[in-house]
Amino acid sequence: CLIIEKEDHFVGLCKSFKVGDSIFDYSGHFMHFNDKNIEEYVKCLTTKHATGSFEEYSRRACIAMTTGENILNYVVDYPFQANIHQLDKQEFIRCLTDLWNASLTQKKAETFEDLVRQTFGNSITNLFFRPYNEKLYCTDLASIDADGMKRFIPKVSFSEVVNNFSYKTSFGYNSTFLYSPSSGIQGLCDAFLKERPVTSSVKETVLEIDTAQKTVKTDKRSIKYETLINTLPLTTFAKLAHKNDLNLKSVDVHVYNITYEGRVSVLRNYCWIYVPDPKIIFYRVGFYDFMSKSPNTSIYVEVSTKTGTDTCSTLLDIDKKLKEYGFIFPNAVIKDSLQLKISPAYAILEKNTESIVSEYRKELQKQDVHLTGRYGRWAYQSIEDNIRDSKELALLLSI
């Protein structure tokens, strides 16, 4: 096989950057596991080959609750729905009552908004799920399909919420994660390449794909193939293959990596913080120093915009807002920084997205073209999902 890569490296969005004394990623690229076999495989691989030590961390995340002036007031532990007892008293009572009423209904949810309202009630939805996810996806929750997001929403029963008042429980698929603060997430991809060297061509850009003639045209040559595996975003692939009727939507994420001198945040004991306040431009702030234990405060800040729009804040704008809203102390001094962009970052999974992608995938498979990876499959996937899909595809093609 031959791998074509337009950059000078193979790690894609799993590239890590060393800036001054800091290691920055394309936001928080951590590994969460549900499959023990994949977990053991990755741990063995990174132990054997990775340049940096990969360690397992217990998630300590929270939701930022702000005042009417958008100033950080207090935090609620993640997941929000399991820790409503940490809210102010009146909000807690409303959330608990709505949660109980929601537990009495059994309906099929058609949209993401239906899903969270029917599962958690109106108060929890309005305080967290709706503002946070509408900021992330730049889309009304009623436009997003319920099935595409269901497995990533920690579902908790009423009794579990009550028990969590006194006995702390871990909820969700990402309660632990694997990461290397010395090499960043790139250490994982470097380990893959050491385990299995590949035949490849870097700094080569695909210009056109002819699935009927089984030809890929690049800026260097024309390549005839028997089987093609695509990991490009499906929207990008479709344009290269002259498939112009694929109506898929997505958002970009602008990542602002900043290291400040010293301990300059009251939140630095958390690995990441969700920010649902719709008046605050960023939706999440993560702390690299949660893993690295650096004496400095090293963070990533994520801002979402619709793909195709150019509106974007500068790094200094974000620094100003972090200080204005109380996430970073006013006198904090920037030591290292790096602004990055993921485009696309998240597929917007509307009601008809799955059927559009499924039909196109079937059409391509008949022409010996296979889709894999988060963006190739146009799905919301973790690193573990990508590894599993790649393995299954490799086994399929080896038969």
Side-chain angles (χ1 to χ4, degrees), residues 95 98-99 102 116-118 120-128:
C95 287
D98 283 359
L99 182 64
V116 291
R117 288 196 187 280
Q118 292 173 20
F120 305 117
N122 290 331
S123 296
I124 291 175
T125 299
N126 294 337
L127 276 172
F128 175 67

Side-chain angles (χ1 to χ4, degrees), residues 66-67 69-72 260 279-280 282 316-331:
T66 52
T67 65
E69 294 76 34
N70 317 119
I71 305 299
L72 179 65
Y260 292 96
K279 295 185 180 68
I280 295 178
F282 46 85
L316 290 179
D317 291 334
I318 296 299
D319 169 59
K320 180 180 178 181
K321 294 300 181 184
L322 287 167
K323 294 171 179 176
E324 181 181 326
Y325 299 147
F327 289 79
I328 295 294
F329 299 159
N331 60 347

Side-chain angles (χ1 to χ4, degrees), residues 102 105-122 125 129-130 140-147 150 351:
T105 62
Q106 296 291 329
K107 295 180 182 178
K108 177 173 172 54
E110 298 293 333
T111 70
F112 190 16
E113 182 167 10
D114 291 339
L115 174 65
V116 291
R117 288 196 187 280
Q118 292 173 20
T119 305
F120 305 117
N122 290 331
T125 299
F129 281 103
R130 185 172 187 178
D140 192 305
L141 289 198
S143 301
I144 300 177
D145 187 39
D147 290 338
K150 192 175 292 183
K351 187 64 180 174

Side-chain angles (χ1 to χ4, degrees), residues 228-245:
L228 181 65
I229 298 173
N230 172 64
T231 62
L232 283 168
L234 190 56
T235 47
T236 304
F237 177 89
K239 289 178 183 177
L240 294 172
H242 303 290
K243 174 78 171 177
N244 299 315
D245 59 348

Side-chain angles (χ1 to χ4, degrees), residues 28 30-34 55-63 76-83 86 128-129 132 151-156 164 167-179 267-274 284-287 290-291 293 300 380:
F30 309 128
M31 288 180 283
H32 314 286
F33 299 102
N34 285 316
E55 305 292 340
E56 186 169 84
Y57 301 88
S58 294
R59 178 196 68 212
R60 187 162 190 249
C62 67
I63 295 88
V76 172
D77 288 338
Y78 176 87
F80 183 84
Q81 59 272 29
N83 293 287
Q86 298 174 359
F128 175 67
F129 281 103
Y132 176 79
R151 78 181 179 97
F152 294 100
I153 304 299
K155 187 172 182 178
V156 295
N164 203 47
Y167 304 101
K168 194 69 177 174
T169 306
S170 292
F171 296 94
Y173 74 100
N174 60 357
S175 59
T176 61
F177 60 93
L178 202 67
Y179 186 71
L267 300 169
R268 59 174 285 136
N269 290 327
Y270 292 93
C271 47
W272 58 82
I273 295 96
Y274 301 93
R284 185 164 53 195
V285 179
F287 286 76
F290 178 85
M291 289 77 68
K293 307 306 178 187
Y300 58 89
Y380 184 58

Side-chain angles (χ1 to χ4, degrees), residues 14-63:
C14 284
K15 179 175 174 58
S16 301
F17 301 84
K18 184 168 177 56
V19 179
D21 296 323
S22 304
I23 298 291
F24 295 138
D25 291 327
Y26 280 97
S27 79
H29 276 176
F30 309 128
M31 288 180 283
H32 314 286
F33 299 102
N34 285 316
D35 187 320
K36 284 295 180 185
N37 291 328
I38 292 180
E39 181 178 7
E40 290 175 8
Y41 170 65
V42 168
K43 286 181 176 179
C44 178
L45 193 70
T46 52
T47 299
K48 184 178 177 182
H49 293 301
T51 52
S53 175
F54 277 77
E55 305 292 340
E56 186 169 84
Y57 301 88
S58 294
R59 178 196 68 212
R60 187 162 190 249
C62 67
I63 295 88

